[in-house]
Amino acid sequence: MAGLLTVGFIWYYGSPEYTDVGYQPVQPVPFSHKMHVGDLGMDCRYCHNFVDQSHEANVPPTQTCMNCHQLVLPESEQLAPIRQSWQSGKPMEWIRVHKIPDYAYFDHSVHLAAGVGCASCHDRVDQMEVVTLKKSLSMGWCLDCHRDPTPHLRDLTATSVTDMEWQPGENQLAFAKEIMEKKNINPRTDCSACHR
Amino acid sequence: MSAIKELNTQLEPLVTGNPTFASVTQRISELTEGKQPNKGWWVCFLAALGLLFMMKTLILYLIWEGTGIWGLNNPVGWGWAIVNFVWWVGIGHAGTLISAILFLFRQKWRTSINRFAEAMTIFAVMCALVFPGIHIGRVWVAYWMFPLPNQMQMWPNFRSPLLWDVFAVGTYFTVSCLFWFVGLIPDLATLRDRSTGKIRRFIYGFFAFGWRGGNRQWQHYEKAYLILAGISTPLVLSVHTVVSFDFAVSIVPGWHTTIFPPYFVAGAVFSGFAMVMTLGIIARKIYHLEDFITLRHLETMNKVMLLTGMLVGYAYGCEFFVAAYSGNIYETAIFINRAFGPYAWAYWTMIFCNVVVPQAFWWKKARRCIPWMFVASILINIGMWFERFVITVTSLAQDYLPSSWDYFRPTIFDIGIFVGSFGLFFTFFLLFLRFLPAIAISEVKGVLPQANPHHGGEH
Amino acid sequence: MSSVNKEPESHNPYWRSVNELEGTPEFQRYVEREFPYLDEETATGSVNRRQFLQLMSASMALGGLTACRRPVNHIVPYVRPPEDVIPGVPLYYATTMPFGEEAFGLVVESHEGRPTKIEGNPDHPATLGKSSMQVQASILGLYDPNRSPRTLRGGQPAEWKDFAEALTSLTSGLGETGGDGLAVLSEATSSPTVARLKRAIEQKYPKLRWVAYEALGSENAHEGTALATGTSLRPLPHFDKADTILALDADFLMTEENAIRNSYDFANRRDPDMPANKSTMNRLYVAEPAYTVTGGMADHRLRLKASRIAAVAVAVAKALGVNGVTDLEAPAGELDPVWIENAVEDLRRAGSHGLVVAGRRQPAAVHALVAAINHRLGSIGTAVTYVEPLDTIRSDMKALRDLTADMADKKISTLFILGGNPVYNAPADLDFGKALGEVGFTAHLSELYDATSERCLWHISRTNFLESWGDARALDGTLSLVQPLIAPLHADSHSDLTILNLIATGEEATAHDLVRESWAERFDGAVGFETNWKRLLHDGVLKNSSYRPAQVTISADGIRQAVTTLDLTTNEEAIEVVFGPSTALHDGRFANNGWLQEVPDPITKITWDNAAIVSPTTARKLGAMRKLNKLGELKFDMIDISIGGASLALALYIQPGHADNCISLALGYGRPEAEAVLSVGHGVGFNTYLLRTTDAAHIVPSVEVRKSIGTYELAITQDHHSMEGRPLVREAELTAFKENGKLYPEAHYHEPHQLWEPPVDYSKGYQWGMTIDLNRCTGCSACTIACQSENNIPVIGKTQVGKGREMHWIRVDRYYKGPIEDPQGVVMQPVPCQHCENAPCEQVCPVTATTHDHEGLNTMVYNRCIGTRYCSNNCPYKVRRFNFFNYTKDIPETVQMAMNPDVTVRFRGVMEKCTYCTQRINQARITSKVDGREIRAGDVQTACQQACPVNAISFGNINNEKERVTALKRNPRNYQILQEINTRPRTSYLGRMRNSNEHLAPDDSAANGHEGH
């Protein structure tokens, strides 16, 4: 009996069942990606401006918010924490939604260079009132794409990685094969690809 | 068949004191009933329980603090834990060997000893299983050894002998349990029928699976027993063969040897019989089972030990010859170091206990002298522990690069957990003696003269 | 500019315990918020199994029990982003590490304003991009948790401004007396700004006493040249121009001045593959008492008491016909004339490419003789130049003695001690501590609240060189800038410059302004200051600012007089004591540096200790022989050494190849400070300074020794000294090798028959490989520390090392050749993971935690490891390291700042090992992919390779013809250790060459590497 329970427990933990998909913490400021990206059509890289140069997609400094919000809604109640941070110099404490373990090293820049769009992992952020974890970000999930990236590769001459609407065309497979050849994209499944 | 019968009748009887069926049942069953347990039993049991508790505590501390509390170091990554594991598994061999193989060979003398030999096997394997479990660095992820689907999409490495080990020992344990239990059924029924108390009756009844001793039941029973014997026989050989692969498959000089499988099996049988001997003599004394475990049994076992002891001795010699003959400097060096290096003391202890001591059994006197064989059996067990120590530790301590050579020193935690494992073993063994027939009643009856159809010899 | 922002980019808050969390109502709300779709179920109470489990797991999640994103994890961005910082992308700044009269130009890696790794600056003459253990480990000094946070007065917290006031009032008082009774005791330095401020102060206080003291100063060399040439000069040997070198008790490859540069030049000249036109491989003669790495590299080594070195110098000078010596009679006593003859013969043949160097502990007269010999050889100007240092304040032990005397009789009223720790490391006979008590106003500037601080009225927290502005001159005079990488960890820390300026002007100024000020006049050119300054900041060094060589004329009388000062009589039986630097701690300044405490001494392999080092013969004489070659030996005999009044009991360690009747003692251990102020170095080793006196500061010709009762535990990383004739380190005579191409001991390898195709095709793509040139490797262990710094390798402490659990990913094996009584040599072999293509470890891991990748790396996945240690057992090279305990548990927060964010910090119970710096490979790959190109030759450098001062380690893609390593793999000297067991290592070694003089050639047994014990 106990044996069964342990097995079941381990099984459950080990399986993709057990991931945090749906994680949707309440942020200090109810920043709406839907409004900024979806409605106003801002590019992801206005705020996450180093995403194509660094392994991390930097969360913008308070300054970036203030660039606009000194003029736009300068009095807004919801933006009070931002203004405080700006005056006090005490940084904002956003709650991390997309997190992979410390022993796994993910690099944004190289994925962007390969033509993998933001939406592939972060899903339709432009439709999210509150940012939610939509993909499991589990090792198996990473491997699925590393074993066959073809459905996720974009033609960066035609579209941009930040384009949220992008859908693979009907000749996607052919294109992907070609671009992988051209850019020498060969996602590694070796342990050393992500674990250092 | 008849030839064996002849033999049996010529040889001295397997059961002395000319008991009747009834008296056999009485003598053996009463051990589990009535006034029992006496003071002596309680003393032993509490002592054993104490040791068991100590082991539990030490293991908790080990898991809390890390394997660093042991004496392990960089060249010597496996210490007492693995030595104890192999030793206990080895001991766990006699049981199944006696019950299965001797059964298949119709060795009727096995009947008086097979029951507790099997019990011993199971408890020994339990002790063994503790060690590989706790010796790893991160016990909480030990389940990665099992092929469970998981979000990492990772599987265990089926090339690794350690993995084979997990399966081999696991299988052996399961089958031994089944075998033992099936053997118990008729006797459990006997106890059920004799028992007075409600609970007793219920429990024995439950496990007796409604045994009535009818013909069909006996028929099925014999078949099942035979089949199980058939299944366990290869296991007896496979388990320790696979255990030996842990060493033989690696490239460590002193481990990397094709002779290991037979050598390990022989060693296992050797130590197994020694342990049966030790326990048998004690049980025999305490419970006055002289009539069932006769000198003839003991002598036969001594013969087996003499044989296996010499097999082991031959293996030792063989290793040296191969090392010398190979001309491989690393191989040669490791064996020179074994005999004359920093671990010479361990090596010669082993040689003395395993090779020299059993030689006494060439003489009938020695084979039939109980005090001597008691001492010998204990020495042999010690010797066999040292064999595993010599193989595991000395080989690692001085392998390829002299720069890495180092010396292994056990800590109180190494010793404590080993000693504690005896607690585990004896706790179960004493419970067994207390609640289960230490000798296979039904089988013993089978070898009574009365059981012989020609008994009395009228026809 | 120094980007200074100590705001961590992201941090995990401490989370509360599960039960605590689960109890509280806000926890309930939390769960609901976390998993919105759970709300109604929880409300209606209809919770089915799965949701229940989710709820459970959520509570686990918030409690922070399991691996992934369990504790709520915050992202803390900047408020105002500092310019040119890209979060997650390291920046590199040039700076300089001042080290006594020396200066090491550095390039420091910084993550979000947090310096994490130090490398040499390729443009700087002292480092040429290389480094040493101390340079590598100095990063740890910055984060030392024991660093004093604030100003103290009489041990009580005080305000800096109070000190400033006290100081100004005091000095103004001294004004009229011309600074009578004012003294400054500093470390030796070569900072132009310090020199400028010194001048300023001297102008204001003409009677100022300024003394510099280093326990291991360069006095003797300078006095020597003064004796020989009339002017005090600094010898600058150029080993790249020397064919034949005679080192007289000079460990110029490790513990002497300029060791990094020396090693670099020496190795390049020792390369046997050098084109013939560039002349041949050099030949090294060494005469020394204790084995040093230099002695290990020697073609011919003469083990000799330090007090007899002078005699050798005289003999050589005589044989070469040096004026002033020729007419003297030969020195008395046994001296191995054959050895000297041949050495002299070789030197004469080398002529202007012959070089003689003497160690800093040899008396001035020896240095004088050396100058004369070099002059006689005509090598001055080629193999050695003599320069006159500028801006340099040199250590002077005699001046210290006088100062201390004056302090004792109250002639000194005000004493500023800038750095250093004289109470600990001044010669014992001075009793500096007592004298200090006689001075009215004493202030000590230091990073730790050390023994000297305790005895001073004021203690000022000193800024680390990575925190402050400054400048320095390399030994050859090249100017470089000290640029801060980070704002002072403790706001109350101050730089020497600030204080000196305060003394000079009574005003406070930042080090930054002071440095710019002193550079103002140097940069008044047409280009304009700012442009030059920016350029300087970028390069770190000012090009072409080295000294011009001085003209040297040798006076025969000077030499004659010098020689008369030498004691050439000999008493072979008398037991002498020689003091030397600790190979790791130098003079003790690094005592609180865990990395340096734990790195084994290259020769003795002792960690966390110093000991009395003697030869086997002397040991027997002292009644202690049994300890040699015993595995796992922990208990070592103790001996009592008495010099004059002082006596010290310390552990005895037997070192084959040590001179008989000689005991060498390493300085820098046994720091007296309490554990609270010296948590790492406290109580480590024996304080040999207690035996040191001003008259016999280096060599004590005759001492009383007796075996004392009791034993002592030494943690030693290598117990077995012989190679057992195995083909591990393989060597040959250069000449013989050129003919037969044979390396000894010979290895017997037969290409095994493959039953199946190799699983991976290694002929395609990037294939990483390494070669280690044993002909270059000196064993200096810079690689070990570089690796430790790069890969977050924990320090485990003496007990654990004693148990044989050292964690170094690249260790240096040391073997003696020939009879242990009198070995014919010592060889070094760095051993990292060999990255076998046919790796025994991979096959036996039950959970595939260690596997091979397609680029030939033997990868180790820490988080998959369950810790069976089977891989380590099965590793024939024993390079795998196991975390027996949670070694990283108690690392102080400051020290955590030194960690490399690109490398996982390992937890208890997992195996770890060299990864070929896979993080660097990945970084190079990512950059190349983003730029849309291949990884180029030289893009990837492993940490050990980058640090190695002799370029012994080459690494790269062995499929790329442009890589150095690819060529070396084809070198006839290339071989793999344990090739015969068919592990197919990716790391291979280049055989070691000897360039023996045929008249002194060792017998064949040595050539064939047969050894005794």
Side-chain angles (χ1 to χ4, degrees), chain C residues 665-724:
Chain C
L665 301 178
L667 297 166
Y669 287 86
R671 289 274 296 262
E673 289 85 355
E675 187 154 14
V677 292
L678 199 77
S679 51
V680 176
H682 164 75
V684 174
F686 307 91
N687 183 358
T688 45
Y689 283 110
L690 297 175
L691 295 175
R692 210 172 179 219
T693 58
T694 15
D695 317 324
H698 301 289
I699 303 168
V700 193
S702 171
V703 299
E704 281 177 33
V705 194
R706 47 179 185 71
K707 187 160 176 299
S708 85
I709 23 128
T711 58
Y712 183 85
E713 273 199 14
L714 290 175
I716 295 173
T717 59
Q718 187 175 343
D719 297 330
H720 198 80
H721 304 312
S722 156
M723 213 155 66
E724 297 295 328

Side-chain angles (χ1 to χ4, degrees), chain B residues 64 70 74 77 160 246 400, chain C residues 726 805 844 869-870 881:
Chain B
W64 178 260
W70 286 338
N74 186 15
S160 168
D246 286 347
Y400 291 98
Chain C
R726 302 177 178 186
R805 297 170 177 175
V844 296
R869 300 182 297 283
Y870 199 177
R881 303 301 191 203

Side-chain angles (χ1 to χ4, degrees), chain B residues 400-454:
Chain B
Y400 291 98
L401 304 193
S403 61
S404 314
W405 291 1
D406 208 337
Y407 194 80
F408 171 87
R409 283 189 188 76
T411 65
I412 52 165
F413 297 99
D414 289 286
I415 302 162
I417 293 178
F418 177 48
V419 174
S421 65
F422 284 95
L424 177 64
F425 181 79
F426 281 109
T427 310
F428 279 101
F429 195 76
L430 286 161
L431 287 172
F432 158 74
L433 285 180
R434 170 71 184 83
F435 293 109
L436 293 171
I439 293 174
I441 304 172
S442 51
E443 294 195 29
V444 169
K445 288 177 183 172
V447 299
L448 288 181
Q450 298 92 312
N452 185 337
H454 311 289

Side-chain angles (χ1 to χ4, degrees), chain B residues 72 74 88 101 116 166 177 202 221 265 274 286 325 363 403 418 443 449:
Chain B
L72 302 170
N74 186 15
W88 276 117
I101 297 182
F116 73 80
V166 173
C177 290
F202 173 76
Y221 170 84
V265 173
I286 297 171
Y325 189 66
W363 289 273
S403 61
F418 177 48
E443 294 195 29

Side-chain angles (χ1 to χ4, degrees), chain C residues 714-743:
Chain C
L714 290 175
I716 295 173
T717 59
Q718 187 175 343
D719 297 330
H720 198 80
H721 304 312
S722 156
M723 213 155 66
E724 297 295 328
R726 302 177 178 186
L728 306 176
V729 177
R730 302 177 59 193
E731 331 176 70
E733 272 302 333
L734 182 59
T735 44
F737 183 77
K738 289 231 160 107
E739 290 151 16
N740 61 16
K742 271 210 172 98
L743 290 170

